Amino acid sequence: MLFGSRFSMHFDYTLILLILPIICTSSFLLNETSQFLLVKQMSYCFLSIFIFFFVFFIPFRYTDKGTTAFYWICIFLLLVVEFAGTTNLGAKRWINIGGFSLQPSEPAKIAIVLFLAHYVKNNPPPPEGYGWIEFCKISTFILLPFIFILIEPDLGSAIIVLFMGYGTLFIVGVHKKIWISCIVFILLFSPVAFKFILKPYQITRIMNLVSGNTSSQVQQSIIAVGSGGITGKSKTESTQATLKFLPVATSDFIFAHFAERFGFLGSCILLSLYGFIVLHLLSCCFLDSKDYFLKVIASSLAMLFFIYTTVNIAMTIELAPVVGIPLPLLSYGGSSFVTFIILIAIFEHAITFRFSSHANHNKSHKKYNVFSKSK
C-alpha cells in the first residue's frame, strides 16, 4: 500500500505523456514508409515496456560499486571495438556476439550518466562550484569514453557524450573561472583539432557546409521540408518520401519526412513537444537542492534530448554537417530507442523514490547520533 501511494504521488506522468505522441507519430510515419520497419520498431516498443519496468525497480541510488563496474565494462567494450569491431560504412562501431550486434557507445552513455550521478551524490559541489581538482577528476571519466568513441570514428556519439557530460556539470555547479579557462582553451585548440584530429571525410563535410556545397541527401531533405508548406501534404502527394527521393527517411532524415507530411505547423508542434520535455526535465533538477542524484539524472537526460534534437534537425536543414544522429524516439532504430527508454526509467525511479532515500539517510543519521551520545 505504501508503494502504491508513493508510485501514484511521485511518479512523473508528465514526461510519459510528452513522449507518447512522439512514439505514436513514429509508428504512423513508418507505417507509410515500410511495413517491415514498422513491425521491427513495434517489437522494440513492446520490448522497451518490459525493460522500463525492470530498470525502474533497480535501486540505483545504492548501486555505487555496480555502477563503477558497469562503467569500466563499457570502457572495455569500447576498447574491444578497436581490435575486434565490425566495420560498416568505414567505421568500427559494433561488436558481434553470436548473432547479436552491440554498439557499445549506447550503453556507455547510460554508464556515464549513472557514474556522474553517483560521483556527484557522494562528492557534492561546494557553494561556489567544483574547483580544478574535482573538475579534472570528473573530466577524466567523460573524456575517456569520448576519445574511444571518436577514434571509431563516431563523431556524432562523441559530441553527444562531450556535451552531455559538461552540460550536466554546468547545471550541477563548476566555478566560473574554470569555464572561462575552458572556453579560451577550446578557441585556441580548435584549429589543431580541425587539422590533426578530424578525419578527412569529416573535414570535407564541414567545408561543404560552410561553402554551401551540400550533398544530394541534404538537398532532397531541404526540398521535403519546404514542400510541406504550412499544413503539410497528404500521403499520395508526399513524393519525396513515397518515391524514395529522400534518403534514410525513416531514421536520420525522418524530420524532413515529418515536415513534408505535417508542414510548418506540425513541425512547430513537434519542436514544442521536445522543448517541453527538456524544460520539464530541467525543472526537476530543482525539486530538491540537496538531491544531486536526481539533478544529474534529470539534467543528463535533458541534455541528451536537447543535443539529439538540435543536431538532427540542424543537419536536415543545412545548419550542421551530417553526423548520423537520430531524432529521439521518432527515428527508426532499436539502439537509440532502448537507450532513451532505459534513461527515462532511471529518471522515473530517481524521482519516484527520492523521499525514501531521504528517510534512509535520516534514519542512519539518527542512529549515528545515538551512538555518539552513548559514548
Side-chain angles (χ1 to χ4, degrees):
M1 192 69 180
L2 177 62
F3 168 75
S5 62
R6 182 187 296 125
F7 185 91
S8 60
M9 288 178 60
H10 306 304
F11 186 85
D12 185 32
Y13 298 99
T14 303
L15 180 60
I16 304 301
L17 292 175
L18 287 172
I19 66 173
L20 281 178
I22 298 175
I23 296 174
C24 292
T25 302
S26 174
S27 301
F28 176 83
L29 294 176
L30 288 175
N31 181 55
E32 293 187 346
T33 308
S34 171
Q35 291 289 329
F36 174 72
L37 293 183
L38 173 64
V39 172
K40 289 191 67 175
Q41 191 69 9
M42 292 305 296
S43 67
Y44 294 140
C45 290
F46 285 116
L47 175 63
S48 295
I49 294 174
F50 295 100
I51 293 175
F52 177 92
F53 283 105
F54 175 78
V55 173
F56 178 77
F57 290 109
I58 298 176
F60 287 103
R61 291 179 184 268
Y62 313 105
T63 57
D64 297 65
K65 293 182 179 179
T67 296
T68 302
F70 178 49
Y71 174 86
W72 289 111
I73 289 172
C74 289
I75 295 298
F76 173 75
L77 292 175
L78 289 173
L79 189 60
V80 169
V81 171
E82 299 303 312
F83 300 98
T86 302
T87 302
N88 188 12
L89 299 177
K92 281 187 178 181
R93 301 177 184 175
W94 297 267
I95 301 174
N96 286 329
I97 304 174
F100 179 71
S101 182
L102 173 67
Q103 188 174 357
S105 60
E106 291 301 323
K109 295 168 189 172
I110 301 171
I112 295 168
V113 172
L114 286 173
F115 190 90
L116 288 177
H118 279 283
Y119 188 92
V120 175
K121 179 194 70 174
N122 296 326
N123 306 275
E128 66 276 9
Y130 284 124
W132 276 109
I133 295 177
E134 289 296 331
F135 178 78
C136 291
K137 285 182 182 178
I138 299 173
S139 294
T140 302
F141 298 113
I142 297 172
L143 293 176
L144 192 59
F146 164 77
I147 293 171
F148 283 132
I149 295 172
L150 186 64
I151 292 173
E152 291 180 358
D154 188 355
L155 181 61
S157 293
I159 290 173
I160 288 171
V161 166
L162 196 67
F163 279 88
M164 177 194 71
Y166 286 105
T168 301
L169 277 183
F170 179 81
I171 294 175
V172 169
V174 173
H175 199 285
K176 61 181 180 181
K177 291 182 179 179
I178 295 178
W179 291 124
I180 295 172
S181 301
C182 290
I183 293 172
V184 172
F185 175 79
I186 291 171
L187 293 176
L188 294 175
F189 184 71
S190 294
V192 178
F194 185 82
K195 180 69 175 178
F196 298 104
I197 296 180
L198 294 181
K199 303 292 182 180
Y201 76 92
Q202 294 170 342
I203 295 175
T204 301
R205 288 180 180 179
I206 295 173
M207 295 306 296
N208 288 340
L209 176 68
V210 174
S211 63
N213 185 23
T214 53
S215 62
S216 59
Q217 59 182 358
V218 176
Q219 293 173 6
Q220 295 296 334
S221 173
I222 294 173
I223 292 172
V225 173
S227 65
I230 299 296
T231 57
K233 293 181 176 181
S234 64
K235 178 182 177 181
T236 55
E237 294 176 334
S238 303
T239 55
Q240 288 298 109
T242 55
L243 299 181
K244 310 299 181 183
F245 290 114
L246 179 65
V248 207
T250 57
S251 56
D252 292 352
F253 290 90
I254 197 168
F255 176 75
H257 183 193
F258 178 92
E260 185 180 28
R261 284 290 281 114
F262 299 103
F264 176 76
L265 294 178
S267 299
C268 288
I269 294 173
L270 180 65
L271 289 175
S272 297
L273 278 174
Y274 283 118
F276 283 132
I277 289 172
V278 173
L279 291 175
H280 174 68
L281 288 169
L282 290 177
S283 69
C284 293
C285 296
F286 305 100
L287 289 175
D288 185 347
S289 60
K290 295 182 180 180
D291 191 351
Y292 287 101
F293 186 87
L294 175 60
K295 181 175 287 190
V296 172
I297 298 296
S299 58
S300 297
L301 187 54
M303 288 295 164
L304 282 176
F305 268 105
F306 177 77
I307 298 164
Y308 268 91
T309 304
T310 302
V311 175
N312 178 273
I313 294 177
M315 74 183 190
T316 62
I317 57 177
E318 202 181 358
L319 292 178
V322 178
V323 290
I325 292 179
L327 198 55
L329 306 178
L330 188 68
S331 295
Y332 165 78
S335 298
S336 174
F337 187 88
V338 172
T339 298
F340 269 98
I341 294 299
I342 290 174
L343 287 171
I344 290 170
I346 295 172
F347 164 77
E348 291 288 2
H349 172 89
I351 198 169
T352 301
F353 298 102
R354 65 187 188 276
F355 294 112
S356 63
S357 67
H358 293 334
N360 290 336
H361 174 76
N362 292 335
K363 185 185 294 183
S364 62
H365 183 68
K366 289 179 180 179
K367 188 176 181 181
Y368 175 79
N369 288 339
V370 170
F371 289 146
S372 298
K373 290 178 181 180
S374 65
K375 293 180 181 180

